[in-house]
Structure formats: structure tokens, C-alpha cells
Amino acid sequence: MEVLHEEMPFDLAFHPSSPLVATSLITGELNLFRYAAESQPERLFVAKAHKESCRAVRFVDSGKVILTGSADCSILASDVETGKPIARLEDAHENGINRLVSLTETTVASGDDEGCIKVWDTRERSCCNSFHCHEDYISDMTYVSDSNQILATSGDGTLSVNNLRRNKVKSQSEFSEDELLSVVVMKNGKKVVCGTPSGALLLYSWGFFKDCSDRFLGHAQSVDTMLKLDEETLISGASDGVIRLVGILPNRIIQPLAEHSEYPIEALGMFWPFSALSRFKNRMFSLVMYLCNAAFSNDRKYLGSISHDKMLKLWDLQELLNGQQAVNDDKLGEPDSDDSDDDGMDVDMDPSSSKGSRSTKTSKSQSLGRTTSDFLADL
């Protein structure tokens, strides 16, 4: 299933209980679609939510309200039935908002261009927590309910752990050589995985956030977004255009799942990686048709993706996992010499293709042996 937008979308979110999906556009517009199997999504409304680009969208209040965050520094609450504004925080941040994450039924977190994170009480419509430890844009956030903490990644190359009970930054990693673009918590909370522009996945052990414990070089290009499928596997989107199923510890590319288009993927999952305007201008032309975001539907039947080709696509997740989408995945990464030592990381090689290569070489050797013996016999 797919639908074409008039302008480029930045983010999408699925309704928590109904077959609805919302998208936010570069023009500041909010779109809501109803989807059903074997039919194209039906556009329910288009609303002008913000003056500037609408970068983030989430459902809150059990799906009754849609929250959007914008480059104009405002957060808007819209009615899911009509799309009409309910409440607006004009100066929610001092800088443009990149990310929105739902924490509980009544709290959400927002992150901006300059690294500020704020937590909002939707009932009181007020800020109840704020964290200022990053020096660049907030690229991604995830909520850990067991410890009531927010994990955030930033363009400054650090991962932060923000404690909501104490309203303080509990831990922050050392600066990485790369920006950190996305984050998921795996292995029943024991591992935190971050995507980077170089294609490496950085693995942090819980409680030891100063430096990563592992680096998985399975992607040839930037991994801008990830979705957690289960405790062992995640779905990644990289700038080579392929959506992949990735295993964590052991680290391996299990299989390519789909290709949104023939163009590189900028993000799959949770964010549009905005930073300062100068950085965006420098990257503009290389991002024209990149995949921008994706998410799971509430029943986890569909994987949604949006792209700079203005297309919203809803993939049947089971069909993807069963390998029913034909994907040419010939862009797998090569490990750097720095990380091919004894760190136990798996090399990004498809086991089947590797075996096939070895069998081909063997057959060629056997054929050469037979030819030589036949030639000697004739002599």
C-alpha cells in the first residue's frame, strides 16, 4: 500500500489502537490516513499545523490527540477526529524541535536543534523536566520505563541517560568520532545500540555508557534509524536504500527486507536528522530522495516508511520477514582493519553468498583438475 504526498514528509506515527497513520510535511502540514488490507490508504484530512516544517508527530491521550513539533519551536495538539487545533505551545523550545517521544499516557518528551530535552505533562500543559547536556541536535530518544529514564542520541556524538525521577543527567558517553543518529535498547535492557553516519553500530553495555563495548561494521553507509523488532533483532535503514533485518549479539545482517526506492535511505524509524541549518544546506542535494522515517502499526502487522520521494508505503511485515520482497542487497559493508581483530564482531557477509563463493571456487578447481588429467592421459 502506498500514497503520494504533495510535499516531502518528515515523520510518521501509527495510532495506538485504530488503523490510522499520521504524517508531517516540510510545509508544516499534518496528514491523517486510514488504511486497510488490499486497498490504498484513505486521506482523512490535511491540516496546516505549523508555519514552518513539521518535523515530528506522535499520538497521545490514547490516540485522541495528535502532537506535532516544528522548526518554528512550537508544539501543537490537534484533534484526531477533525484535525483542528486543541492547544499550542508557541515557544516550547528556544530552537527548532526535532523529536517527539511518548513516555506515558500523560507525558511526552521533545528534543531540539541545540541538544535540549524537555518533558511535558499533557494534562497540565507544562514542562516538568528539562535536560541540557548535549551540544548539538537531538537525533533520537527512547524511553526506558523500568528505570524511568530517557536515552538520547545527539549530533555531538554522545549518548545520554536522563533520570526523570531526579531530573538530572545520570550518565553521558564520551564523544564519538561520528554523530549518533538513532538508538534502541536490546537484550532485555542489557545493550544499547546506536547508529552512526559511518555505518557502524555502536553497542553500549547498560551501566557502562562512557564508551561502547562493541562496534558492528555491517552497513556500508550511514545507519540513520532503527526499529526494535524483538530482543535479538532490529530493523535498520541505511543510506544505500535497503531496509534490513539485523541480529544483535551475534551481530549479523540476517537479510534485506525491502527497498523503499532506488535512492539511499536517510532514516528508517524515528527521526529526521536535522541539525543546524548550515549542515542541512550542505547535505540537501544528497538527501533529495532519501527515506525519511518509518514505524510499526499498533498490531505490528505493517511497517510504514516515508521518503523524500514524497511516498508513504505500508509494508506487510510478515511478508517482509518471509522474504517475499525481492531486494538486491549487493551493498554490504566491508570491515575496517581497526575492527577486524579479536573483538568478536561478525563480518557483514551473507552466509549463503559466502558458501556459494566457496563452492564455486571448489567446482572450478575440480574442473581444472579433470582437464589436466585428461590432457595427460591423451599424451
PDB file of all heavy atoms in Angstrom, residues 226-257:
ATOM      1  N   MET A 226      16.628   3.017  13.360  1.00  0.00           N
ATOM      2  CA  MET A 226      16.441   1.607  13.666  1.00  0.00           C
ATOM      3  C   MET A 226      15.125   1.425  14.404  1.00  0.00           C
ATOM      4  O   MET A 226      14.688   2.302  15.154  1.00  0.00           O
ATOM      5  CB  MET A 226      17.591   1.081  14.540  1.00  0.00           C
ATOM      6  CG  MET A 226      18.964   1.195  13.911  1.00  0.00           C
ATOM      7  SD  MET A 226      20.284   0.655  15.024  1.00  0.00           S
ATOM      8  CE  MET A 226      20.210   1.936  16.282  1.00  0.00           C
ATOM      9  N   LEU A 227      14.507   0.279  14.169  1.00  0.00           N
ATOM     10  CA  LEU A 227      13.314  -0.123  14.893  1.00  0.00           C
ATOM     11  C   LEU A 227      13.587  -1.464  15.564  1.00  0.00           C
ATOM     12  O   LEU A 227      14.072  -2.393  14.925  1.00  0.00           O
ATOM     13  CB  LEU A 227      12.110  -0.261  13.956  1.00  0.00           C
ATOM     14  CG  LEU A 227      11.544   1.001  13.326  1.00  0.00           C
ATOM     15  CD1 LEU A 227      10.437   0.652  12.357  1.00  0.00           C
ATOM     16  CD2 LEU A 227      11.025   1.942  14.394  1.00  0.00           C
ATOM     17  N   LYS A 228      13.270  -1.570  16.831  1.00  0.00           N
ATOM     18  CA  LYS A 228      13.448  -2.820  17.548  1.00  0.00           C
ATOM     19  C   LYS A 228      12.321  -3.784  17.194  1.00  0.00           C
ATOM     20  O   LYS A 228      11.142  -3.467  17.366  1.00  0.00           O
ATOM     21  CB  LYS A 228      13.459  -2.554  19.057  1.00  0.00           C
ATOM     22  CG  LYS A 228      13.559  -3.809  19.906  1.00  0.00           C
ATOM     23  CD  LYS A 228      13.564  -3.434  21.377  1.00  0.00           C
ATOM     24  CE  LYS A 228      13.566  -4.655  22.267  1.00  0.00           C
ATOM     25  NZ  LYS A 228      13.599  -4.282  23.711  1.00  0.00           N
ATOM     26  N   LEU A 229      12.684  -4.961  16.669  1.00  0.00           N
ATOM     27  CA  LEU A 229      11.695  -5.982  16.355  1.00  0.00           C
ATOM     28  C   LEU A 229      11.455  -6.878  17.560  1.00  0.00           C
ATOM     29  O   LEU A 229      10.315  -7.138  17.928  1.00  0.00           O
ATOM     30  CB  LEU A 229      12.148  -6.817  15.153  1.00  0.00           C
ATOM     31  CG  LEU A 229      11.166  -7.860  14.640  1.00  0.00           C
ATOM     32  CD1 LEU A 229       9.873  -7.200  14.179  1.00  0.00           C
ATOM     33  CD2 LEU A 229      11.791  -8.669  13.504  1.00  0.00           C
ATOM     34  N   ASP A 230      12.519  -7.372  18.157  1.00  0.00           N
ATOM     35  CA  ASP A 230      12.454  -8.118  19.414  1.00  0.00           C
ATOM     36  C   ASP A 230      13.785  -7.939  20.125  1.00  0.00           C
ATOM     37  O   ASP A 230      14.591  -7.098  19.724  1.00  0.00           O
ATOM     38  CB  ASP A 230      12.114  -9.601  19.178  1.00  0.00           C
ATOM     39  CG  ASP A 230      13.061 -10.280  18.200  1.00  0.00           C
ATOM     40  OD1 ASP A 230      14.275 -10.019  18.274  1.00  0.00           O
ATOM     41  OD2 ASP A 230      12.595 -11.069  17.355  1.00  0.00           O
ATOM     42  N   GLU A 231      14.030  -8.704  21.169  1.00  0.00           N
ATOM     43  CA  GLU A 231      15.237  -8.513  21.955  1.00  0.00           C
ATOM     44  C   GLU A 231      16.507  -8.900  21.209  1.00  0.00           C
ATOM     45  O   GLU A 231      17.610  -8.506  21.584  1.00  0.00           O
ATOM     46  CB  GLU A 231      15.144  -9.307  23.267  1.00  0.00           C
ATOM     47  CG  GLU A 231      14.015  -8.876  24.187  1.00  0.00           C
ATOM     48  CD  GLU A 231      14.124  -7.432  24.627  1.00  0.00           C
ATOM     49  OE1 GLU A 231      15.250  -6.905  24.652  1.00  0.00           O
ATOM     50  OE2 GLU A 231      13.082  -6.821  24.939  1.00  0.00           O
ATOM     51  N   GLU A 232      16.369  -9.694  20.159  1.00  0.00           N
ATOM     52  CA  GLU A 232      17.535 -10.183  19.435  1.00  0.00           C
ATOM     53  C   GLU A 232      17.752  -9.486  18.092  1.00  0.00           C
ATOM     54  O   GLU A 232      18.858  -9.521  17.552  1.00  0.00           O
ATOM     55  CB  GLU A 232      17.401 -11.695  19.177  1.00  0.00           C
ATOM     56  CG  GLU A 232      16.990 -12.516  20.386  1.00  0.00           C
ATOM     57  CD  GLU A 232      18.058 -12.520  21.461  1.00  0.00           C
ATOM     58  OE1 GLU A 232      19.246 -12.432  21.088  1.00  0.00           O
ATOM     59  OE2 GLU A 232      17.708 -12.610  22.649  1.00  0.00           O
ATOM     60  N   THR A 233      16.707  -8.889  17.534  1.00  0.00           N
ATOM     61  CA  THR A 233      16.788  -8.358  16.174  1.00  0.00           C
ATOM     62  C   THR A 233      16.193  -6.959  16.082  1.00  0.00           C
ATOM     63  O   THR A 233      15.281  -6.593  16.828  1.00  0.00           O
ATOM     64  CB  THR A 233      16.056  -9.285  15.178  1.00  0.00           C
ATOM     65  OG1 THR A 233      14.712  -9.528  15.649  1.00  0.00           O
ATOM     66  CG2 THR A 233      16.768 -10.615  15.038  1.00  0.00           C
ATOM     67  N   LEU A 234      16.717  -6.191  15.137  1.00  0.00           N
ATOM     68  CA  LEU A 234      16.191  -4.867  14.848  1.00  0.00           C
ATOM     69  C   LEU A 234      16.087  -4.692  13.341  1.00  0.00           C
ATOM     70  O   LEU A 234      16.647  -5.470  12.566  1.00  0.00           O
ATOM     71  CB  LEU A 234      17.081  -3.780  15.465  1.00  0.00           C
ATOM     72  CG  LEU A 234      18.558  -3.721  15.071  1.00  0.00           C
ATOM     73  CD1 LEU A 234      18.768  -2.917  13.790  1.00  0.00           C
ATOM     74  CD2 LEU A 234      19.374  -3.104  16.191  1.00  0.00           C
ATOM     75  N   ILE A 235      15.369  -3.665  12.938  1.00  0.00           N
ATOM     76  CA  ILE A 235      15.241  -3.315  11.525  1.00  0.00           C
ATOM     77  C   ILE A 235      15.954  -1.988  11.312  1.00  0.00           C
ATOM     78  O   ILE A 235      15.705  -1.013  12.028  1.00  0.00           O
ATOM     79  CB  ILE A 235      13.771  -3.216  11.102  1.00  0.00           C
ATOM     80  CG1 ILE A 235      13.107  -4.600  11.188  1.00  0.00           C
ATOM     81  CG2 ILE A 235      13.641  -2.669   9.688  1.00  0.00           C
ATOM     82  CD1 ILE A 235      11.618  -4.601  10.895  1.00  0.00           C
ATOM     83  N   SER A 236      16.870  -1.964  10.356  1.00  0.00           N
ATOM     84  CA  SER A 236      17.672  -0.767  10.111  1.00  0.00           C
ATOM     85  C   SER A 236      17.365  -0.190   8.740  1.00  0.00           C
ATOM     86  O   SER A 236      16.953  -0.891   7.822  1.00  0.00           O
ATOM     87  CB  SER A 236      19.168  -1.102  10.198  1.00  0.00           C
ATOM     88  OG  SER A 236      19.565  -1.914   9.108  1.00  0.00           O
ATOM     89  N   GLY A 237      17.594   1.104   8.624  1.00  0.00           N
ATOM     90  CA  GLY A 237      17.526   1.777   7.339  1.00  0.00           C
ATOM     91  C   GLY A 237      18.812   2.535   7.116  1.00  0.00           C
ATOM     92  O   GLY A 237      19.221   3.330   7.957  1.00  0.00           O
ATOM     93  N   ALA A 238      19.474   2.276   6.021  1.00  0.00           N
ATOM     94  CA  ALA A 238      20.762   2.915   5.738  1.00  0.00           C
ATOM     95  C   ALA A 238      20.687   3.681   4.428  1.00  0.00           C
ATOM     96  O   ALA A 238      19.749   3.533   3.649  1.00  0.00           O
ATOM     97  CB  ALA A 238      21.879   1.867   5.678  1.00  0.00           C
ATOM     98  N   SER A 239      21.699   4.496   4.176  1.00  0.00           N
ATOM     99  CA  SER A 239      21.655   5.373   3.019  1.00  0.00           C
ATOM    100  C   SER A 239      22.012   4.683   1.711  1.00  0.00           C
ATOM    101  O   SER A 239      22.231   5.342   0.712  1.00  0.00           O
ATOM    102  CB  SER A 239      22.585   6.573   3.237  1.00  0.00           C
ATOM    103  OG  SER A 239      23.890   6.156   3.532  1.00  0.00           O
ATOM    104  N   ASP A 240      22.054   3.344   1.701  1.00  0.00           N
ATOM    105  CA  ASP A 240      22.177   2.629   0.435  1.00  0.00           C
ATOM    106  C   ASP A 240      20.815   2.215  -0.096  1.00  0.00           C
ATOM    107  O   ASP A 240      20.720   1.537  -1.111  1.00  0.00           O
ATOM    108  CB  ASP A 240      23.092   1.407   0.577  1.00  0.00           C
ATOM    109  CG  ASP A 240      22.601   0.434   1.633  1.00  0.00           C
ATOM    110  OD1 ASP A 240      21.512   0.665   2.208  1.00  0.00           O
ATOM    111  OD2 ASP A 240      23.296  -0.560   1.891  1.00  0.00           O
ATOM    112  N   GLY A 241      19.744   2.603   0.607  1.00  0.00           N
ATOM    113  CA  GLY A 241      18.398   2.393   0.105  1.00  0.00           C
ATOM    114  C   GLY A 241      17.715   1.127   0.547  1.00  0.00           C
ATOM    115  O   GLY A 241      16.565   0.890   0.170  1.00  0.00           O
ATOM    116  N   VAL A 242      18.359   0.281   1.361  1.00  0.00           N
ATOM    117  CA  VAL A 242      17.802  -1.019   1.724  1.00  0.00           C
ATOM    118  C   VAL A 242      17.401  -1.052   3.192  1.00  0.00           C
ATOM    119  O   VAL A 242      18.139  -0.581   4.059  1.00  0.00           O
ATOM    120  CB  VAL A 242      18.809  -2.154   1.429  1.00  0.00           C
ATOM    121  CG1 VAL A 242      18.222  -3.516   1.798  1.00  0.00           C
ATOM    122  CG2 VAL A 242      19.194  -2.142  -0.049  1.00  0.00           C
ATOM    123  N   ILE A 243      16.224  -1.610   3.460  1.00  0.00           N
ATOM    124  CA  ILE A 243      15.756  -1.869   4.815  1.00  0.00           C
ATOM    125  C   ILE A 243      16.174  -3.287   5.177  1.00  0.00           C
ATOM    126  O   ILE A 243      15.868  -4.226   4.443  1.00  0.00           O
ATOM    127  CB  ILE A 243      14.226  -1.729   4.902  1.00  0.00           C
ATOM    128  CG1 ILE A 243      13.789  -0.332   4.466  1.00  0.00           C
ATOM    129  CG2 ILE A 243      13.735  -2.016   6.323  1.00  0.00           C
ATOM    130  CD1 ILE A 243      12.296  -0.199   4.241  1.00  0.00           C
ATOM    131  N   ARG A 244      16.888  -3.442   6.300  1.00  0.00           N
ATOM    132  CA  ARG A 244      17.478  -4.747   6.627  1.00  0.00           C
ATOM    133  C   ARG A 244      17.036  -5.252   7.993  1.00  0.00           C
ATOM    134  O   ARG A 244      16.754  -4.461   8.900  1.00  0.00           O
ATOM    135  CB  ARG A 244      19.004  -4.668   6.606  1.00  0.00           C
ATOM    136  CG  ARG A 244      19.615  -4.402   5.245  1.00  0.00           C
ATOM    137  CD  ARG A 244      21.135  -4.361   5.363  1.00  0.00           C
ATOM    138  NE  ARG A 244      21.781  -4.217   4.064  1.00  0.00           N
ATOM    139  CZ  ARG A 244      22.057  -3.064   3.484  1.00  0.00           C
ATOM    140  NH1 ARG A 244      21.716  -1.941   4.087  1.00  0.00           N
ATOM    141  NH2 ARG A 244      22.655  -3.024   2.313  1.00  0.00           N
ATOM    142  N   LEU A 245      17.049  -6.569   8.131  1.00  0.00           N
ATOM    143  CA  LEU A 245      16.856  -7.233   9.410  1.00  0.00           C
ATOM    144  C   LEU A 245      18.237  -7.551   9.970  1.00  0.00           C
ATOM    145  O   LEU A 245      19.045  -8.209   9.322  1.00  0.00           O
ATOM    146  CB  LEU A 245      16.045  -8.517   9.229  1.00  0.00           C
ATOM    147  CG  LEU A 245      15.676  -9.274  10.516  1.00  0.00           C
ATOM    148  CD1 LEU A 245      14.715  -8.448  11.360  1.00  0.00           C
ATOM    149  CD2 LEU A 245      15.051 -10.627  10.167  1.00  0.00           C
ATOM    150  N   VAL A 246      18.504  -7.056  11.182  1.00  0.00           N
ATOM    151  CA  VAL A 246      19.847  -7.148  11.767  1.00  0.00           C
ATOM    152  C   VAL A 246      19.789  -7.891  13.092  1.00  0.00           C
ATOM    153  O   VAL A 246      18.947  -7.579  13.950  1.00  0.00           O
ATOM    154  CB  VAL A 246      20.448  -5.743  11.989  1.00  0.00           C
ATOM    155  CG1 VAL A 246      21.847  -5.836  12.568  1.00  0.00           C
ATOM    156  CG2 VAL A 246      20.447  -4.952  10.686  1.00  0.00           C
ATOM    157  N   GLY A 247      20.674  -8.871  13.270  1.00  0.00           N
ATOM    158  CA  GLY A 247      20.795  -9.584  14.529  1.00  0.00           C
ATOM    159  C   GLY A 247      21.828  -8.919  15.420  1.00  0.00           C
ATOM    160  O   GLY A 247      22.850  -8.433  14.947  1.00  0.00           O
ATOM    161  N   ILE A 248      21.546  -8.897  16.723  1.00  0.00           N
ATOM    162  CA  ILE A 248      22.454  -8.294  17.693  1.00  0.00           C
ATOM    163  C   ILE A 248      22.969  -9.367  18.649  1.00  0.00           C
ATOM    164  O   ILE A 248      22.193 -10.035  19.328  1.00  0.00           O
ATOM    165  CB  ILE A 248      21.759  -7.174  18.488  1.00  0.00           C
ATOM    166  CG1 ILE A 248      21.317  -6.049  17.537  1.00  0.00           C
ATOM    167  CG2 ILE A 248      22.666  -6.629  19.571  1.00  0.00           C
ATOM    168  CD1 ILE A 248      22.445  -5.373  16.795  1.00  0.00           C
ATOM    169  N   LEU A 249      24.285  -9.518  18.694  1.00  0.00           N
ATOM    170  CA  LEU A 249      24.973 -10.481  19.561  1.00  0.00           C
ATOM    171  C   LEU A 249      24.369 -11.881  19.454  1.00  0.00           C
ATOM    172  O   LEU A 249      23.672 -12.328  20.358  1.00  0.00           O
ATOM    173  CB  LEU A 249      24.965  -9.982  21.006  1.00  0.00           C
ATOM    174  CG  LEU A 249      25.746  -8.690  21.263  1.00  0.00           C
ATOM    175  CD1 LEU A 249      25.602  -8.274  22.715  1.00  0.00           C
ATOM    176  CD2 LEU A 249      27.206  -8.842  20.890  1.00  0.00           C
ATOM    177  N   PRO A 250      24.703 -12.644  18.439  1.00  0.00           N
ATOM    178  CA  PRO A 250      25.739 -12.344  17.455  1.00  0.00           C
ATOM    179  C   PRO A 250      25.286 -11.286  16.448  1.00  0.00           C
ATOM    180  O   PRO A 250      24.131 -11.264  16.039  1.00  0.00           O
ATOM    181  CB  PRO A 250      25.981 -13.688  16.759  1.00  0.00           C
ATOM    182  CG  PRO A 250      24.684 -14.415  16.913  1.00  0.00           C
ATOM    183  CD  PRO A 250      24.141 -14.003  18.243  1.00  0.00           C
ATOM    184  N   ASN A 251      26.234 -10.422  16.048  1.00  0.00           N
ATOM    185  CA  ASN A 251      25.944  -9.307  15.161  1.00  0.00           C
ATOM    186  C   ASN A 251      26.049  -9.756  13.715  1.00  0.00           C
ATOM    187  O   ASN A 251      27.115 -10.207  13.276  1.00  0.00           O
ATOM    188  CB  ASN A 251      26.932  -8.164  15.415  1.00  0.00           C
ATOM    189  CG  ASN A 251      26.891  -7.694  16.856  1.00  0.00           C
ATOM    190  OD1 ASN A 251      25.820  -7.543  17.432  1.00  0.00           O
ATOM    191  ND2 ASN A 251      28.056  -7.487  17.444  1.00  0.00           N
ATOM    192  N   ARG A 252      24.974  -9.632  12.990  1.00  0.00           N
ATOM    193  CA  ARG A 252      24.983 -10.040  11.592  1.00  0.00           C
ATOM    194  C   ARG A 252      23.800  -9.431  10.863  1.00  0.00           C
ATOM    195  O   ARG A 252      22.761  -9.129  11.462  1.00  0.00           O
ATOM    196  CB  ARG A 252      24.922 -11.564  11.448  1.00  0.00           C
ATOM    197  CG  ARG A 252      23.651 -12.204  12.001  1.00  0.00           C
ATOM    198  CD  ARG A 252      23.789 -13.698  12.127  1.00  0.00           C
ATOM    199  NE  ARG A 252      22.552 -14.329  12.589  1.00  0.00           N
ATOM    200  CZ  ARG A 252      21.678 -14.955  11.801  1.00  0.00           C
ATOM    201  NH1 ARG A 252      21.924 -15.047  10.506  1.00  0.00           N
ATOM    202  NH2 ARG A 252      20.594 -15.492  12.292  1.00  0.00           N
ATOM    203  N   ILE A 253      23.974  -9.229   9.572  1.00  0.00           N
ATOM    204  CA  ILE A 253      22.857  -8.859   8.707  1.00  0.00           C
ATOM    205  C   ILE A 253      22.117 -10.144   8.360  1.00  0.00           C
ATOM    206  O   ILE A 253      22.643 -10.989   7.639  1.00  0.00           O
ATOM    207  CB  ILE A 253      23.341  -8.152   7.427  1.00  0.00           C
ATOM    208  CG1 ILE A 253      24.185  -6.915   7.781  1.00  0.00           C
ATOM    209  CG2 ILE A 253      22.152  -7.758   6.559  1.00  0.00           C
ATOM    210  CD1 ILE A 253      23.436  -5.819   8.485  1.00  0.00           C
ATOM    211  N   ILE A 254      20.929 -10.304   8.879  1.00  0.00           N
ATOM    212  CA  ILE A 254      20.185 -11.544   8.652  1.00  0.00           C
ATOM    213  C   ILE A 254      19.667 -11.606   7.231  1.00  0.00           C
ATOM    214  O   ILE A 254      19.856 -12.601   6.532  1.00  0.00           O
ATOM    215  CB  ILE A 254      19.031 -11.671   9.668  1.00  0.00           C
ATOM    216  CG1 ILE A 254      19.590 -11.716  11.095  1.00  0.00           C
ATOM    217  CG2 ILE A 254      18.184 -12.908   9.369  1.00  0.00           C
ATOM    218  CD1 ILE A 254      18.539 -11.718  12.173  1.00  0.00           C
ATOM    219  N   GLN A 255      19.020 -10.524   6.791  1.00  0.00           N
ATOM    220  CA  GLN A 255      18.521 -10.486   5.420  1.00  0.00           C
ATOM    221  C   GLN A 255      18.061  -9.078   5.080  1.00  0.00           C
ATOM    222  O   GLN A 255      17.640  -8.325   5.958  1.00  0.00           O
ATOM    223  CB  GLN A 255      17.351 -11.459   5.232  1.00  0.00           C
ATOM    224  CG  GLN A 255      16.085 -11.053   5.996  1.00  0.00           C
ATOM    225  CD  GLN A 255      14.962 -12.054   5.865  1.00  0.00           C
ATOM    226  OE1 GLN A 255      15.125 -13.195   6.248  1.00  0.00           O
ATOM    227  NE2 GLN A 255      13.834 -11.617   5.330  1.00  0.00           N
ATOM    228  N   PRO A 256      18.122  -8.692   3.799  1.00  0.00           N
ATOM    229  CA  PRO A 256      17.475  -7.448   3.363  1.00  0.00           C
ATOM    230  C   PRO A 256      15.971  -7.669   3.315  1.00  0.00           C
ATOM    231  O   PRO A 256      15.510  -8.739   2.902  1.00  0.00           O
ATOM    232  CB  PRO A 256      18.064  -7.210   1.971  1.00  0.00           C
ATOM    233  CG  PRO A 256      18.434  -8.575   1.486  1.00  0.00           C
ATOM    234  CD  PRO A 256      18.839  -9.358   2.698  1.00  0.00           C
ATOM    235  N   LEU A 257      15.205  -6.687   3.741  1.00  0.00           N
ATOM    236  CA  LEU A 257      13.752  -6.841   3.800  1.00  0.00           C
ATOM    237  C   LEU A 257      13.040  -6.157   2.642  1.00  0.00           C
ATOM    238  O   LEU A 257      12.120  -6.715   2.056  1.00  0.00           O
ATOM    239  CB  LEU A 257      13.218  -6.277   5.119  1.00  0.00           C
ATOM    240  CG  LEU A 257      13.656  -6.992   6.393  1.00  0.00           C
ATOM    241  CD1 LEU A 257      13.047  -6.299   7.613  1.00  0.00           C
ATOM    242  CD2 LEU A 257      13.251  -8.460   6.360  1.00  0.00           C
TER     243      LEU A 257
END
